[in-house]
Every structure is written in structure tokens, then in C-alpha cells.
Amino acid sequence: MKKQLTIYYTSDVHGYFSPIDYASGNEIPSGLANCISNFEKDGNTLIIDGGDTLQGSPFTYYLYNKRKGDGCLPAEIMNIGGYDFVTLGNHDFNYGKEELEKYISALDARCLCANIAGIRGVEKTAIVTLQNGLRVGLTGVTTHYVKLWEKPENLAGIAVTDAFTAAKEAYDQLKAAKADITVCIYHGGFERDVKTGKVLSDTDENQGWRICEELGFDILLAGHQHTAAESVRINGTYTCQPPDKARQYIKMDVTVDGEVTAEQHLMDAGNVTQTKAKALLIPAEKQAAAWFDTPVGHLDTPLLPSRHIEMAANGSLIANFFNQVQLEASGADISATSLGNSVKGLGKDVTIRDIVSTYVFPNTLKTVEVCREQLKKALERSAEYFALENGGLAVSECFLKPIEQHFNYDYISGVEVTEDIRRPIGDRVVSIKYRGKELPEGKRLTLCLNNYRATGAGGYDVYRECPLIREQSTEIAELIIAYVDRYRDITVDKTKWLNVIY
């Protein structure tokens, strides 16, 4: 007899509950409160979330750092949305075990995470019988890389085991319990391209492809990578992934009629905000907005943008400041950062909204080890940004076409670099000094940079061969907010790290 199940799935909401662009304060068609307004729930529907709910927006920074002890608003929004099951994301640990247990306790949904032990309220598996009699077996797992990223004090008393191993054990239990259909909620992504099968990573941070390939789940609901994917089937397992910040959600229509089939679609959050959620969010968002627009720190000098070519050639105090934050957060020897195609800048009195309007990338921080040869290759790529026109400097066409790519020019801090633009591309870097002395060939330095660049993106292929020393999962914009909030009165690094000859 044919039986049907509808699944609504969100993941990596990252504190974007309201339809608000925090950089501008304007309303946008996004946010969990808008997603849930589209959910139509009956006795044959499950509403599921894949984790990374509690951290990632200026709003949740405000909730967990400035408004402590005042209920659990994220859980309240999830309850209004009618969620049945959630799993934990790596960022859900960022505020510690006590806050995580508070969130789970406040949820109407059940929390499934088979590779996590030591957190009250977390279960390994569940079987629910729908109105039509369909027995649905579910489990959840999270990337075990949370052990590498999270502060030790936030994991005290918590055991994290391998995601694949836990998923396999859970699958065996669900099959033994004679579930009609099996679902794995995985806060992890895919180590291979889901369309071509091409290997994207040789680490086990993301094991989605392996879970599909080697286990027998009917459905794998993935997350963590923020990469939208729909209508994917790998070795018989239907799988998908929504993008981050509740811009879209997944609607999956499942049919069980001897075999399992599923249609899965990415759906836009839309412009309609769920009424009860809106009423709950408005006062909290109003309080947060007042804080966003109140100066939380003071710089000794304004950090104002100029023309991109001028900032690249003469240095940018905005970039120096970002590198200053990255260096402290990572403990690295040197740092690289980039600026967006449009740069707002910071005044002496810094607000949270200024920060998220100026550091516009959803990047996290990685630290790699580089030798002089590798560093030179990366610097040579940035040196390609410059072209000579009528005796002056201009932006090279390769950074302007087919699209503007000012964000692929990197600003370095920690080494003094001299580039001669009169020389051929690939041989323009004539000096790299570290602590006043020319960097020797055998010397190795630690370099912190954003996760996008660490993949080799933007023409920086050399970074792919550099050993990874450390990975931090907090977004860089939030590191900047925390830095300003912590130090309040800040002296910006004014070193001119690059000298351009032309």
C-alpha cells in the first residue's frame, strides 16, 4: 500500500531567525521565521533541522553575550515552526554545555545525535509512526571535527565519536527495529562533488558521500557546507542540503510503495513572516538593533576606504585591522585578508553594524604553514593585480573581467614585501622580510587566512599544498566583533607592509 511522507528541512540557520540584513538593517526575503510560514503540517509530515542554529549572526552574538538568562528564543522560534527533530551542529557548542542543554530542554523537538554523549536530552535514534502507519526511523550525527574546533572548556564532560561509525551503528539499530524508511540527519557535507563524484577533500570532516555509498539510509539530510543541493541520489540514498542563513529550505515528498522514492526541492524563504514568530522576535530585534548601532569600541584613527588600486598599492588600515584581529585569534606569525568589491569602512567610534557592513564575507579562519617559496607564489598572485598604464598603476584586466574580483587581492601583515611591477608577471616579488631580515629559504612561518582562500580559490593554488595547522570555526566577522567588544580602545596597526615599485 502506497504511503507518503513530507519532510521540511532547514540547516545552518546560524541565528538568522528574522528577515533582516544586519549590515543594512533592511528587511529581506530570508530568515527562519519566513521559512516556517511556508510549512504545512499534518500527521504525515516531519519538520527537521540539521544544526548550527545558535551561533553566526550579530543577533545571536547579542542574545548569548548581552542578554543572557532571558529565556531561549531560538528554541521558542523552532517550537512555533513545529519542529519534530533536530541534530546538533558544531557551532551549537560555541556557548558551552549549559546553554546547549538549555536549548535542548526548551525544544518541543527531539534532539538526535548518535555520536555525542554527555549532553542531557540527546538521543541516538528514534522511530515514529505516522498517521498513515508509516514507521520512520531517524538518527542524527555531527561532524566529529567539532573536537578540533571547539574550546576544550565547552566540551568538558562531552564525548564526540566518529560520525560515520555512529551513523552505521544507528542504521543497524533502525533496520533491526524494522523501520519502513530510514533517515539520517547529518551535520556534515560531502567530500565529493555530488554531481560528478570528483574528490573535493581527503579529510573526514565531511563524510556524506561515504555514508550514502556504504550505508543503506533511504534519506540523508546534509548540512555544514552551506552549499545548496537538491534532487541528488547517491547509491540509492536521496540526499540534499539547503544553503545557510535560512535563505531557502528543503521540501521533500517521499513515497513508500515497495521501494522508497523522493522528490526534493529547494524552496525560497519568501516575504511572509510567521505571525507568532514575528511578534516574539520584534522586541528582541529592536533591543539588539539599538546595540548594533551604539558604538562598542573606539579606534585611534578612522578606517576609511579609498580607490581599490590606491588601497592595494599603498596599504589599507582596514586590512591591517582585520589582520590584527586574525593574528591574535590564530596566534600565527603572519596574516592575509581581503576586502570586498564595495568597502564601507569604520569610523573612530565602531558599531557592530559597521563591522558586518565592512567585513562582508561568511568566512572562517585557517592557519597553514608556508615556506618562502610558497609565500612568494601567493604574493606573486596578488602582484598580478597591478598593471602599468601611462606610467601609473591600474587594476589588471584579469581582476576586472569577466567580473570584478577586488576580493581576490590579498593584503598581508607580518612580512615586509617589495614588488617591482616593471618586472614580468610571476617574478615581481623582489623582497620578503620577516622581523627586519630577508626571509631565508628554510624558514617556515604560520599564516592565517580565510577558509575560502585556503582552498586555493582566486588563483592561489599554492595554498592547497600547505600543511593545515589550525582551523577555527567562528566566522571572522564575529571574531572582529568580539575583539572590539573586548578591547574597546584600540590602536590600529599602521605598518606599511607592502612597497610597490613602478
mmCIF file of all heavy atoms in Angstrom, residues 18 20 22 59 62-63 67 73 278-294 353:
data_model
loop_
_atom_site.group_PDB
_atom_site.id
_atom_site.type_symbol
_atom_site.label_atom_id
_atom_site.label_comp_id
_atom_site.label_asym_id
_atom_site.label_seq_id
_atom_site.Cartn_x
_atom_site.Cartn_y
_atom_site.Cartn_z
ATOM 1 N N SER A 18 15.116 36.259 11.821
ATOM 2 C CA SER A 18 14.303 37.338 11.265
ATOM 3 C C SER A 18 14.708 37.641 9.827
ATOM 4 O O SER A 18 15.843 37.380 9.423
ATOM 5 C CB SER A 18 14.471 38.610 12.109
ATOM 6 O OG SER A 18 14.066 38.395 13.435
ATOM 7 N N ILE A 20 16.067 39.936 8.217
ATOM 8 C CA ILE A 20 16.823 41.188 8.343
ATOM 9 C C ILE A 20 18.238 41.006 7.813
ATOM 10 O O ILE A 20 18.915 40.030 8.124
ATOM 11 C CB ILE A 20 16.882 41.647 9.819
ATOM 12 C CG1 ILE A 20 15.483 42.039 10.305
ATOM 13 C CG2 ILE A 20 17.840 42.822 9.991
ATOM 14 C CD1 ILE A 20 15.425 42.405 11.769
ATOM 15 N N TYR A 22 21.564 42.323 8.530
ATOM 16 C CA TYR A 22 22.115 43.054 9.677
ATOM 17 C C TYR A 22 23.110 44.137 9.274
ATOM 18 O O TYR A 22 23.363 45.063 10.051
ATOM 19 C CB TYR A 22 22.744 42.071 10.665
ATOM 20 C CG TYR A 22 21.705 41.216 11.348
ATOM 21 C CD1 TYR A 22 21.565 39.872 11.038
ATOM 22 C CD2 TYR A 22 20.826 41.764 12.272
ATOM 23 C CE1 TYR A 22 20.593 39.090 11.637
ATOM 24 C CE2 TYR A 22 19.852 40.998 12.884
ATOM 25 C CZ TYR A 22 19.737 39.666 12.563
ATOM 26 O OH TYR A 22 18.754 38.903 13.159
ATOM 27 N N PHE A 59 22.794 39.009 15.810
ATOM 28 C CA PHE A 59 21.668 38.857 16.723
ATOM 29 C C PHE A 59 21.953 37.794 17.778
ATOM 30 O O PHE A 59 21.698 38.000 18.967
ATOM 31 C CB PHE A 59 20.408 38.510 15.935
ATOM 32 C CG PHE A 59 19.177 38.353 16.787
ATOM 33 C CD1 PHE A 59 18.689 39.416 17.537
ATOM 34 C CD2 PHE A 59 18.497 37.148 16.833
ATOM 35 C CE1 PHE A 59 17.548 39.284 18.327
ATOM 36 C CE2 PHE A 59 17.353 36.995 17.608
ATOM 37 C CZ PHE A 59 16.878 38.070 18.356
ATOM 38 N N TYR A 62 24.447 38.934 20.269
ATOM 39 C CA TYR A 62 23.771 39.763 21.259
ATOM 40 C C TYR A 62 23.028 38.896 22.279
ATOM 41 O O TYR A 62 23.149 39.112 23.495
ATOM 42 C CB TYR A 62 22.795 40.713 20.553
ATOM 43 C CG TYR A 62 21.878 41.454 21.491
ATOM 44 C CD1 TYR A 62 22.340 42.536 22.225
ATOM 45 C CD2 TYR A 62 20.552 41.060 21.647
ATOM 46 C CE1 TYR A 62 21.504 43.214 23.100
ATOM 47 C CE2 TYR A 62 19.704 41.727 22.521
ATOM 48 C CZ TYR A 62 20.185 42.797 23.243
ATOM 49 O OH TYR A 62 19.357 43.460 24.111
ATOM 50 N N LEU A 63 22.274 37.901 21.800
ATOM 51 C CA LEU A 63 21.492 37.057 22.703
ATOM 52 C C LEU A 63 22.363 36.366 23.738
ATOM 53 O O LEU A 63 22.024 36.316 24.925
ATOM 54 C CB LEU A 63 20.733 35.985 21.908
ATOM 55 C CG LEU A 63 19.516 36.407 21.093
ATOM 56 C CD1 LEU A 63 18.906 35.181 20.420
ATOM 57 C CD2 LEU A 63 18.473 37.107 21.954
ATOM 58 N N ARG A 67 22.389 39.375 26.541
ATOM 59 C CA ARG A 67 21.006 39.171 27.002
ATOM 60 C C ARG A 67 20.879 37.804 27.659
ATOM 61 O O ARG A 67 19.898 37.102 27.480
ATOM 62 C CB ARG A 67 20.070 39.278 25.795
ATOM 63 C CG ARG A 67 18.587 39.494 26.109
ATOM 64 C CD ARG A 67 17.833 39.707 24.805
ATOM 65 N NE ARG A 67 16.422 39.931 25.016
ATOM 66 C CZ ARG A 67 15.469 39.075 24.678
ATOM 67 N NH1 ARG A 67 15.777 37.918 24.136
ATOM 68 N NH2 ARG A 67 14.201 39.376 24.863
ATOM 69 N N LEU A 73 15.163 32.051 23.127
ATOM 70 C CA LEU A 73 14.414 32.489 21.955
ATOM 71 C C LEU A 73 14.589 31.564 20.750
ATOM 72 O O LEU A 73 13.611 31.274 20.052
ATOM 73 C CB LEU A 73 14.788 33.929 21.617
ATOM 74 C CG LEU A 73 13.911 34.652 20.606
ATOM 75 C CD1 LEU A 73 13.821 36.123 20.942
ATOM 76 C CD2 LEU A 73 14.428 34.478 19.196
ATOM 77 N N LYS A 278 7.069 36.465 14.439
ATOM 78 C CA LYS A 278 7.321 37.902 14.263
ATOM 79 C C LYS A 278 7.067 38.659 15.563
ATOM 80 O O LYS A 278 7.876 39.506 15.982
ATOM 81 C CB LYS A 278 6.435 38.444 13.153
ATOM 82 C CG LYS A 278 6.684 39.905 12.806
ATOM 83 C CD LYS A 278 5.836 40.316 11.601
ATOM 84 C CE LYS A 278 6.134 41.747 11.187
ATOM 85 N NZ LYS A 278 5.343 42.130 9.983
ATOM 86 N N ALA A 279 5.958 38.337 16.218
ATOM 87 C CA ALA A 279 5.620 39.008 17.473
ATOM 88 C C ALA A 279 6.662 38.734 18.548
ATOM 89 O O ALA A 279 6.980 39.610 19.370
ATOM 90 C CB ALA A 279 4.240 38.552 17.948
ATOM 91 N N LEU A 280 7.219 37.529 18.538
ATOM 92 C CA LEU A 280 8.244 37.168 19.516
ATOM 93 C C LEU A 280 9.575 37.848 19.215
ATOM 94 O O LEU A 280 10.299 38.278 20.123
ATOM 95 C CB LEU A 280 8.423 35.647 19.510
ATOM 96 C CG LEU A 280 9.348 35.032 20.554
ATOM 97 C CD1 LEU A 280 8.811 35.278 21.960
ATOM 98 C CD2 LEU A 280 9.501 33.535 20.311
ATOM 99 N N LEU A 281 9.893 37.978 17.941
ATOM 100 C CA LEU A 281 11.205 38.494 17.538
ATOM 101 C C LEU A 281 11.304 40.015 17.604
ATOM 102 O O LEU A 281 12.380 40.553 17.894
ATOM 103 C CB LEU A 281 11.524 38.031 16.117
ATOM 104 C CG LEU A 281 11.949 36.575 15.970
ATOM 105 C CD1 LEU A 281 11.846 36.114 14.525
ATOM 106 C CD2 LEU A 281 13.368 36.381 16.487
ATOM 107 N N ILE A 282 10.218 40.711 17.318
ATOM 108 C CA ILE A 282 10.289 42.173 17.176
ATOM 109 C C ILE A 282 10.921 42.860 18.390
ATOM 110 O O ILE A 282 11.853 43.669 18.239
ATOM 111 C CB ILE A 282 8.903 42.762 16.847
ATOM 112 C CG1 ILE A 282 8.589 42.539 15.365
ATOM 113 C CG2 ILE A 282 8.846 44.258 17.177
ATOM 114 C CD1 ILE A 282 7.201 43.000 14.947
ATOM 115 N N PRO A 283 10.459 42.603 19.633
ATOM 116 C CA PRO A 283 11.087 43.313 20.767
ATOM 117 C C PRO A 283 12.563 42.971 20.956
ATOM 118 O O PRO A 283 13.371 43.852 21.266
ATOM 119 C CB PRO A 283 10.244 42.872 21.976
ATOM 120 C CG PRO A 283 9.505 41.657 21.529
ATOM 121 C CD PRO A 283 9.320 41.778 20.068
ATOM 122 N N ALA A 284 12.920 41.691 20.747
ATOM 123 C CA ALA A 284 14.324 41.295 20.906
ATOM 124 C C ALA A 284 15.189 41.913 19.814
ATOM 125 O O ALA A 284 16.306 42.390 20.076
ATOM 126 C CB ALA A 284 14.441 39.779 20.879
ATOM 127 N N GLU A 285 14.686 41.910 18.586
ATOM 128 C CA GLU A 285 15.433 42.519 17.472
ATOM 129 C C GLU A 285 15.575 44.023 17.676
ATOM 130 O O GLU A 285 16.613 44.607 17.334
ATOM 131 C CB GLU A 285 14.741 42.233 16.144
ATOM 132 C CG GLU A 285 14.841 40.792 15.674
ATOM 133 C CD GLU A 285 16.183 40.475 15.033
ATOM 134 O OE1 GLU A 285 17.123 41.289 15.137
ATOM 135 O OE2 GLU A 285 16.306 39.384 14.425
ATOM 136 N N LYS A 286 14.568 44.656 18.238
ATOM 137 C CA LYS A 286 14.628 46.103 18.491
ATOM 138 C C LYS A 286 15.721 46.427 19.507
ATOM 139 O O LYS A 286 16.503 47.370 19.328
ATOM 140 C CB LYS A 286 13.273 46.596 18.994
ATOM 141 C CG LYS A 286 13.176 48.112 19.126
ATOM 142 C CD LYS A 286 11.768 48.539 19.518
ATOM 143 C CE LYS A 286 11.687 50.061 19.651
ATOM 144 N NZ LYS A 286 10.310 50.502 20.026
ATOM 145 N N GLN A 287 15.785 45.610 20.567
ATOM 146 C CA GLN A 287 16.839 45.806 21.569
ATOM 147 C C GLN A 287 18.220 45.564 20.956
ATOM 148 O O GLN A 287 19.169 46.309 21.215
ATOM 149 C CB GLN A 287 16.618 44.857 22.744
ATOM 150 C CG GLN A 287 15.375 45.142 23.562
ATOM 151 C CD GLN A 287 15.040 44.013 24.521
ATOM 152 O OE1 GLN A 287 15.856 43.105 24.739
ATOM 153 N NE2 GLN A 287 13.852 44.039 25.099
ATOM 154 N N ALA A 288 18.315 44.512 20.148
ATOM 155 C CA ALA A 288 19.596 44.189 19.517
ATOM 156 C C ALA A 288 20.018 45.294 18.561
ATOM 157 O O ALA A 288 21.195 45.673 18.514
ATOM 158 C CB ALA A 288 19.489 42.858 18.771
ATOM 159 N N ALA A 289 19.068 45.827 17.783
ATOM 160 C CA ALA A 289 19.383 46.880 16.808
ATOM 161 C C ALA A 289 19.951 48.118 17.502
ATOM 162 O O ALA A 289 20.864 48.773 16.981
ATOM 163 C CB ALA A 289 18.143 47.233 15.999
ATOM 164 N N ALA A 290 19.408 48.434 18.666
ATOM 165 C CA ALA A 290 19.935 49.587 19.413
ATOM 166 C C ALA A 290 21.385 49.348 19.790
ATOM 167 O O ALA A 290 22.223 50.263 19.731
ATOM 168 C CB ALA A 290 19.083 49.822 20.657
ATOM 169 N N TRP A 291 21.707 48.103 20.156
ATOM 170 C CA TRP A 291 23.094 47.764 20.496
ATOM 171 C C TRP A 291 23.972 47.776 19.251
ATOM 172 O O TRP A 291 25.094 48.268 19.275
ATOM 173 C CB TRP A 291 23.147 46.399 21.171
ATOM 174 C CG TRP A 291 24.516 46.017 21.624
ATOM 175 C CD1 TRP A 291 25.266 46.621 22.596
ATOM 176 C CD2 TRP A 291 25.321 44.953 21.114
ATOM 177 N NE1 TRP A 291 26.483 45.987 22.720
ATOM 178 C CE2 TRP A 291 26.540 44.960 21.822
ATOM 179 C CE3 TRP A 291 25.121 43.977 20.136
ATOM 180 C CZ2 TRP A 291 27.554 44.046 21.578
ATOM 181 C CZ3 TRP A 291 26.130 43.060 19.893
ATOM 182 C CH2 TRP A 291 27.328 43.104 20.613
ATOM 183 N N PHE A 292 23.455 47.231 18.117
ATOM 184 C CA PHE A 292 24.222 47.227 16.874
ATOM 185 C C PHE A 292 24.659 48.632 16.487
ATOM 186 O O PHE A 292 25.744 48.825 15.924
ATOM 187 C CB PHE A 292 23.407 46.664 15.702
ATOM 188 C CG PHE A 292 22.996 45.229 15.844
ATOM 189 C CD1 PHE A 292 21.911 44.742 15.130
ATOM 190 C CD2 PHE A 292 23.672 44.366 16.687
ATOM 191 C CE1 PHE A 292 21.515 43.430 15.262
ATOM 192 C CE2 PHE A 292 23.282 43.045 16.818
ATOM 193 C CZ PHE A 292 22.195 42.576 16.099
ATOM 194 N N ASP A 293 23.815 49.618 16.747
ATOM 195 C CA ASP A 293 24.073 50.981 16.282
ATOM 196 C C ASP A 293 24.683 51.881 17.352
ATOM 197 O O ASP A 293 24.866 53.082 17.136
ATOM 198 C CB ASP A 293 22.776 51.600 15.751
ATOM 199 C CG ASP A 293 22.303 50.920 14.471
ATOM 200 O OD1 ASP A 293 23.154 50.588 13.631
ATOM 201 O OD2 ASP A 293 21.092 50.693 14.327
ATOM 202 N N THR A 294 24.990 51.293 18.508
ATOM 203 C CA THR A 294 25.681 52.029 19.563
ATOM 204 C C THR A 294 27.166 51.687 19.491
ATOM 205 O O THR A 294 27.523 50.513 19.422
ATOM 206 C CB THR A 294 25.137 51.625 20.946
ATOM 207 O OG1 THR A 294 23.746 51.916 21.000
ATOM 208 C CG2 THR A 294 25.866 52.377 22.052
ATOM 209 N N ARG A 353 27.128 47.177 13.441
ATOM 210 C CA ARG A 353 26.661 47.247 12.063
ATOM 211 C C ARG A 353 27.779 47.685 11.119
ATOM 212 O O ARG A 353 27.855 47.243 9.976
ATOM 213 C CB ARG A 353 25.449 48.187 11.950
ATOM 214 C CG ARG A 353 24.547 47.795 10.792
ATOM 215 C CD ARG A 353 23.309 48.658 10.687
ATOM 216 N NE ARG A 353 22.438 48.670 11.830
ATOM 217 C CZ ARG A 353 21.574 47.700 12.141
ATOM 218 N NH1 ARG A 353 21.522 46.612 11.387
ATOM 219 N NH2 ARG A 353 20.788 47.814 13.185
#
